């Protein structure tokens, strides 16, 4: 595969991870979680993070056997040429469908709250064009821009949540277990898709300065993001209470409530600008990773040239649902229930096969020589 001479470090990798995964607190994910476990929805990210920690740890442990190898290379080394190709193809298809639905979700948010008279297709096309242009610049540029933006994105989120507490009622988080501890554990195990992006980020291991940088960046961002999403959902619960289930995009509804005194009553445009910049980075990274996957699958060295074509395909697939409610209630629900468990299962499978084949033993003997 064609790789860049300049690699990204821990701070760029963490910035990409925070913008990719942490942004789920600002879309329709909180409403999805609330519809199943009600006021205990804020616990789901913590439970899912605890459950997904095991397969992610096993995956990273398995990949440590192959220095500077990405996920697809490791899969083919462990599972063989044909089975490995099939598993990689499944991962690519799942992620492609997820990108189509997520980009359509963001398009719906932009049209519903900010550009209500602009046709959905125009907004969608502009979003994909900007992301494709950024992805074609390469991972180093994505990492650099992510590092420049991440502070403002996180800071603006915290400011919005802090201002939102003015309208919050702490009693809304009770009863603590929502619909019950059993339902909480069930949803927590199904919604590990929240952290499935960390599985996909293993594709960029060869582009990091070292495996140590990858491990350090992964675990730091993993812990931080789980806390951030949980905290955001808790504030949404305390603010909207039972109406949260009917609020499709709570973050954008929240920033319409808040103000900075009588002289600055409407501040949502400030948050929107920062949010849309973070959204561009998120899908730019997704497009790059998907193009990298496609290049691995079909042995295309200059995979960057595939990015505009993939963006066009995702635009066409994402335009299929006729209404935003179809995206939220039908297509995205399928992704949230299948992607995470599937990636977790693949991670465990890779570790088991490597263990049975004696890969860990061989690596240990090699290190002791």
């Amino acid at each position: 595969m064609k790789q860049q001479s300049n690699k990204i470090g821990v701070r760029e990798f963490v910035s990409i991870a925070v913008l990719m995964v942490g942004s789920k607190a600002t879309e329709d994910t909180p409403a999805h979680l609330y519809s199943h476990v009600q006021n205990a929805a804020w616990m789901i990210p913590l439970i899912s993070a605890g459950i997904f920690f095991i397969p992610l740890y096993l995956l990273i442990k398995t990949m440590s056997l192959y220095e500077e190898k990405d996920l697809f290379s490791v899969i083919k080394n462990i599972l063989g040429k044909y089975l490995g190709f099939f598993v990689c193809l499944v991962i690519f298809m799942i992620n492609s469908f997820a990108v189509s639905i997520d980009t359509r979700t963001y398009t719906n948010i932009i049209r519903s709250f900010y550009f209500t008279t602009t046709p959905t297709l125009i907004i969608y096309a502009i979003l994909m064009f900007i992301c494709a242009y950024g992805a074609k610049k390469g991972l180093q540029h994505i990492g650099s821009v992510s590092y420049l933006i991440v502070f403002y994105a996180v800071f603006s989120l915290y400011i919005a949540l802090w201002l939102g507490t003015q309208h919050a009622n702490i009693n809304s988080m009770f009863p603590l277990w929502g619909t019950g501890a059993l339902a909480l554990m069930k949803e927590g195990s199904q919604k590990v898709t929240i952290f499935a992006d960390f599985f996909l980020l293993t594709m960029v291991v060869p582009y990091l300065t070292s495996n140590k940088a990858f491990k350090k960046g992964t675990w730091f961002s993993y812990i931080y993001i789980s806390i951030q999403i949980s905290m955001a959902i808790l504030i949404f619960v305390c603010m909207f209470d039972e109406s949260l289930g009917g609020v499709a995009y709570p973050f954008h509804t929240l920033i319409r409530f808040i103000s900075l005194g009588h002289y600055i009553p409407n501040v949502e445009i400030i948050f929107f600008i920062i949010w849309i910049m973070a959204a561009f980075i998120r899908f730019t990274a997704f497009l790059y990773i998907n193009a990298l996957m496609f290049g691995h699958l079909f042995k295309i060295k200059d995979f960057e040239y595939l990015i505009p074509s993939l963006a066009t395909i995702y635009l066409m697939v994402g335009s299929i649902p006729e209404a935003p409610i179809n995206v939220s209630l039908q297509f995205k629900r399928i992704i949230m229930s299948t992607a995470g468990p599937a990636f977790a299962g693949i991670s465990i499978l890779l570790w088991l096969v490597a263990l049975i084949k004696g890969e860990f033993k061989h690596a240990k003997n090699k290190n002791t020589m």
Side-chain angles (χ1 to χ4, degrees):
M1 297 302 298
K2 180 181 178 181
Q3 297 182 6
Q4 299 166 333
S5 57
N6 296 322
K7 299 186 177 184
I8 63 174
V10 175
R11 65 183 189 181
E12 290 85 5
F13 179 75
V14 170
S15 299
I16 293 173
V18 169
L19 294 177
M20 284 181 65
V21 189
S23 60
K24 294 184 179 181
T26 65
E27 50 180 49
D28 56 354
T29 299
H32 276 287
L33 300 181
Y34 185 88
S35 64
H36 290 90
V37 294
Q38 297 181 6
N39 51 293
W42 63 275
M43 295 186 185
I44 295 296
L46 299 177
I47 296 173
S48 298
I51 295 174
F52 197 71
F53 172 85
I54 298 174
L56 182 61
Y57 171 79
L58 295 177
L59 177 63
I60 294 176
K61 186 177 179 63
T62 304
M63 293 194 64
S64 65
L65 300 174
Y66 306 89
E67 292 291 332
E68 297 189 351
K69 292 286 187 180
D70 57 57
L71 176 64
F72 277 19
S73 297
V74 172
I75 290 175
K76 290 180 180 179
N77 283 335
I78 294 177
L79 299 182
K81 180 179 179 180
Y82 298 105
L83 180 58
F85 177 85
F86 175 77
V87 172
C88 292
L89 182 62
V90 169
I91 295 171
F92 173 75
M93 295 301 296
I94 292 175
N95 196 42
S96 295
F97 189 66
V99 170
S100 297
I101 297 304
D102 280 346
T103 49
R104 175 60 189 273
T105 297
Y106 276 64
T107 302
N108 293 336
I109 293 174
I110 295 170
R111 188 179 189 278
S112 299
F113 286 89
Y114 307 101
F115 298 95
T116 56
T117 59
T118 306
T120 300
L121 183 61
I122 299 299
I123 298 174
Y124 203 171
I126 294 173
L127 173 65
M128 297 306 292
F129 174 81
I130 295 174
C131 294
Y133 176 79
K136 205 171 183 302
K137 289 289 186 178
L139 189 64
Q140 186 190 9
H141 288 83
I142 298 172
S144 300
V145 177
S146 299
Y147 182 67
L148 293 174
I149 293 176
V150 68
F151 172 78
Y152 301 101
V154 172
F155 182 73
S156 65
L157 174 63
Y158 288 152
I159 289 295
L161 295 176
W162 177 68
L163 294 174
T165 57
Q166 300 174 12
H167 307 277
N169 181 7
I170 192 65
N171 293 324
S172 298
M173 64 182 293
F174 299 103
L176 196 62
W177 299 106
T179 55
L182 185 61
L184 201 59
M185 292 302 298
K186 178 183 177 182
E187 290 301 316
S189 61
Q190 292 181 347
K191 297 303 184 291
V192 293
T193 305
I194 296 173
F195 301 97
D197 296 346
F198 284 100
F199 176 87
L200 303 172
L201 282 170
T202 55
M203 284 298 301
V204 302
V205 169
Y207 297 88
L208 269 73
T209 53
S210 66
N211 278 14
K212 184 178 180 181
F214 169 72
K215 293 178 183 178
K216 184 178 179 180
T218 297
W219 294 126
F220 175 82
S221 53
Y222 189 81
I223 295 171
Y224 168 76
I225 290 168
S226 62
I227 296 173
Q228 174 183 291
I229 297 178
S230 178
M231 179 181 64
I233 296 177
L234 177 59
I235 293 177
F236 294 150
V237 169
C238 292
M239 182 176 177
F240 296 105
D241 201 0
E242 294 181 357
S243 62
L244 180 58
V247 179
Y249 314 114
F251 173 77
H252 298 274
T253 304
L254 180 148
I255 61 178
R256 288 201 163 191
F257 273 94
I258 62 180
S259 63
L260 297 175
H262 297 289
Y263 298 101
I264 313 178
N266 301 316
V267 296
E268 64 266 21
I269 191 61
I270 301 174
F271 295 102
F272 168 72
I273 292 172
I274 300 174
W275 174 83
I276 194 63
M277 291 173 66
F280 287 146
I281 294 299
R282 181 189 184 194
F283 294 116
T284 295
F286 269 126
L287 280 176
Y288 185 87
I289 291 174
N290 278 23
L292 182 60
M293 289 180 177
F294 193 88
H296 267 286
L297 282 170
F298 301 103
K299 299 180 180 180
I300 302 174
K301 293 182 179 181
D302 297 322
F303 62 87
E304 293 91 349
Y305 294 106
L306 299 170
I307 292 173
S309 299
L310 288 175
T312 303
I313 294 172
Y314 297 152
L315 170 62
M316 295 172 61
V317 174
S319 300
I320 292 175
E322 296 181 359
I325 193 170
N326 293 331
V327 178
S328 180
L329 297 182
Q330 299 178 15
F331 296 96
K332 190 157 188 178
R333 182 169 294 179
I334 296 173
I335 289 293
M336 291 191 69
S337 300
T338 58
F343 292 163
I346 292 172
S347 301
I348 296 173
L349 174 65
L350 292 175
W351 177 79
L352 283 174
V353 175
L355 183 66
I356 294 172
K357 292 175 65 176
E359 296 291 339
F360 292 102
K361 186 177 180 181
H362 295 158
K364 185 177 179 180
N365 293 336
K366 184 178 179 180
N367 291 333
T368 56
M369 289 179 63

